[in-house]
Amino acid sequence: MFFAKILKTWVPGLNKVVIPTSLLGGLIGLIISLVFAPIIIGENTFIDVEYMGYIVYHALAIGFISLALKRSDSKIKKKIWSTGMLITSTYAMQAAIGIILVLTLFSDKFVGSGMLVALGFGQGPGLALSIGNMWNDMLLGNGATLGVSYAFLGFVFGGTIGVLIINVMSRKKGFAKPKNYNEVAVGKETIEIDTVKEISLLDGLTTQAIIIAIIYGLVYLTLVLANLALANLGNIGETIFGLLKGFNFIIGIMYALLYKQLLKAIEKKGKNIKFMTNNYMLSNITSIAFNIMIAGAVLTITLDFLSSYGIQLITTAILAGVATMLYLRFMTKRVYPEYQDQYFIGLFGMLTGVASTGLALLKGVDPELETPVAEEMVLGSGTAISMALPLFAILFIPSLTYGTANEGLWTIVALVGCLLYTLIFAIILLIRGKRGVNI
């Protein structure tokens, strides 16, 4: 990542494409590994893919726990729910496209190989790897790598096509085209001092690291107890435990939120415990964890995987990317009475990459982030998670019915569920837009 940052700073052209430094760093490592490993050690890669998968798995959980621990005073607004519905309907549309392509062009593959595009584009490499790992057996051991690869292509598609869109907008509508595109933080933080007598960043870092370690320890304990409790249920128990293990970061978020509620209860009694959550340190821990997650996820890609899934991967990513662009352009014009271009370019970047991708692109049409779009994108993505829970259940239908006599029927049920999800949310948003409720 260090060399990637240098390259982005010094190499002409790289700073004109929206690509995270961690992604570029992972790509550099991947190229070095794939090119030189066969020559030096006679293997396809220097990387122990299974071990790297564990690193990404834990980095994802640590990143979400530290993110959940941050104090926030944000209040939900109507537009945030509209943005959340638009984000969720896009997830469902991407998943539907993936399923249709598997049914029509890649019928020899498990349908999850198409659905992972929604997780890779919509949620990024961490969740795509985690859920892909649950489907590894059905995807011939390539589930985690496939999820990561969709996320990688999503970053590339959003970062390049997004810049081209901004260039077109700058000519047609007079936007000042930026000279380069820098990664943008989701929020700005200031350094917090725990005591007046001594400024010690290490003390704050140690406190947050210990709290995160305790919460993650509770996650591990929960999984151990769940495994013991489900051991007697046979295949059903294994399936449920697999889901719990794959969603370990959600368990971590729940413990983090409980911890915050405990702190609030103690503060109401007059105790000064603000030092127990240091937003500045938590932001840095989150950044480190997610950067490791993204770079490590890219390093799990192998040549064997590309030979098996390369054509499907590229075809699905391109069609899902184009559909995402057209759908968001159509909807943002009708859902938002103001800042339609800003919403479109920001959401397009976020729904092919991650939040920072969307914000970096948004600066191309809103250089000082003066519009409310940036805040609503970030908060709207939070509401989208709760709205998408039933969608996640739909996405798991094919894996839970894999190998059964009615597997094909349940695949159609999953497809219809995704299409209805998109259609219902789109209709609600269009009606709200006509009535002016989205303002």
Side-chain angles (χ1 to χ4, degrees):
M1 282 188 278
F2 173 73
F3 290 110
K5 186 65 177 178
I6 292 175
L7 287 175
K8 284 191 67 175
T9 304
W10 290 352
V11 176
L14 271 182
N15 59 3
K16 296 187 183 298
V17 177
V18 180
I19 180 170
T21 301
S22 52
L23 181 68
L24 182 59
L27 182 59
I28 292 171
L30 178 65
I31 293 172
I32 292 173
S33 178
L34 295 181
V35 171
F36 292 104
I39 300 171
I40 298 174
I41 63 174
E43 301 286 344
N44 289 332
T45 177
F46 288 123
I47 309 299
D48 185 329
V49 175
E50 184 177 1
Y51 184 72
M52 186 59 67
Y54 291 141
I55 292 175
V56 174
Y57 172 80
H58 294 300
L60 173 68
I62 291 170
F64 272 111
I65 289 170
S66 56
L67 190 63
L69 285 172
K70 290 177 62 178
R71 293 191 301 270
S72 176
D73 298 321
S74 298
K75 296 180 180 178
I76 301 295
K77 304 172 189 176
K78 282 184 179 179
K79 272 191 284 188
I80 294 172
W81 290 104
S82 294
T83 302
M85 282 191 280
L86 183 54
I87 291 171
T88 307
S89 65
T90 307
Y91 294 161
M93 181 201 65
Q94 292 168 342
I97 290 171
I99 295 173
I100 291 170
L101 286 175
V102 171
L103 293 176
T104 55
L105 299 178
F106 308 101
S107 56
D108 58 323
K109 304 289 197 306
F110 169 57
V111 72
S113 63
M115 293 190 297
L116 278 173
V117 69
L119 300 168
F121 274 35
Q123 291 292 319
L127 186 58
L129 181 142
S130 183
I131 293 181
N133 197 48
M134 296 184 207
W135 298 344
N136 251 347
D137 292 340
M138 291 164 271
L139 293 169
L140 306 177
N142 293 305
T145 308
L146 183 59
V148 167
S149 299
Y150 277 128
F152 171 75
L153 290 180
F155 278 120
V156 173
F157 190 91
T160 54
I161 302 301
V163 172
L164 292 176
I165 293 171
I166 290 173
N167 289 338
V168 172
M169 286 183 175
S170 67
R171 287 197 297 269
K172 287 186 175 181
K173 302 191 176 183
F175 290 121
K177 185 175 66 175
K179 295 181 179 179
N180 52 61
Y181 296 84
N182 298 313
E183 293 167 84
V184 182
V186 172
K188 296 180 180 179
E189 302 292 349
T190 56
I191 296 178
E192 299 175 20
I193 302 172
D194 294 336
T195 65
V196 177
K197 295 181 180 179
E198 179 182 11
I199 301 176
S200 176
L201 296 180
L202 285 178
D203 286 351
L205 176 61
T206 303
T207 301
Q208 304 312 307
I210 290 173
I211 292 168
I212 292 170
I214 291 172
I215 290 175
Y216 205 29
L218 289 173
V219 173
Y220 178 78
L221 179 61
T222 301
L223 291 175
V224 169
L225 294 175
N227 191 27
L228 293 173
L230 296 169
N232 296 325
L233 297 180
N235 291 334
I236 296 176
E238 286 184 20
T239 302
I240 295 173
F241 178 70
L243 292 174
L244 290 174
K245 188 177 179 182
F247 286 110
N248 69 326
F249 65 95
I250 293 182
I251 301 173
I253 290 172
M254 291 173 61
Y255 278 124
L257 295 177
L258 287 173
Y259 171 77
K260 286 171 68 174
Q261 292 301 316
L262 176 62
L263 290 185
K264 285 181 181 180
I266 295 174
E267 283 181 335
K268 286 181 180 180
K269 294 183 179 181
K271 302 292 183 180
N272 183 13
I273 52 171
K274 288 187 177 181
F275 69 93
M276 294 295 283
T277 50
N278 186 313
N279 277 12
Y280 176 75
M281 287 300 169
L282 289 171
S283 293
N284 282 280
I285 293 171
T286 302
S287 178
I288 291 170
F290 284 162
N291 282 334
I292 290 173
M293 176 196 73
I294 292 172
V298 174
L299 291 173
T300 63
I301 299 173
T302 63
L303 288 175
D304 290 340
F305 158 75
L306 292 175
S307 65
S308 299
Y309 285 92
I311 296 175
Q312 179 187 358
L313 177 69
I314 294 172
T315 303
T316 306
I318 291 174
L319 291 178
V322 171
T324 299
M325 178 180 66
L326 296 176
Y327 176 70
L328 289 175
R329 190 55 175 166
F330 176 83
M331 293 299 293
T332 51
K333 281 186 174 182
R334 291 157 179 81
V335 171
Y336 302 104
E338 298 179 302
Y339 312 119
Q340 295 169 350
D341 293 324
Q342 288 85 348
Y343 277 110
F344 165 59
I345 196 66
L347 288 171
F348 172 71
M350 187 170 71
L351 287 167
T352 52
V354 290
S356 61
T357 310
L359 292 174
L361 287 174
L362 177 61
K363 283 183 71 75
V365 292
D366 181 15
E368 303 301 324
L369 297 180
E370 296 172 334
T371 69
V373 176
E375 182 184 6
E376 288 173 16
M377 276 172 49
V378 176
L379 296 178
S381 64
T383 62
I385 293 296
S386 59
M387 294 180 188
L389 290 178
L391 176 61
F392 287 144
I394 293 171
L395 295 182
F396 272 95
I397 290 175
S399 62
L400 294 174
T401 57
Y402 181 74
T404 64
N406 295 320
E407 179 185 348
L409 174 62
W410 286 112
T411 297
I412 298 299
V413 169
L415 173 60
V416 172
C418 291
L419 291 174
L420 286 175
Y421 226 101
T422 303
L423 184 62
I424 291 170
F425 273 21
I427 290 173
I428 292 172
L429 286 168
L430 292 173
I431 292 173
R432 285 166 61 94
K434 280 190 175 181
R435 293 179 178 178
V437 180
N438 296 315
I439 58 176

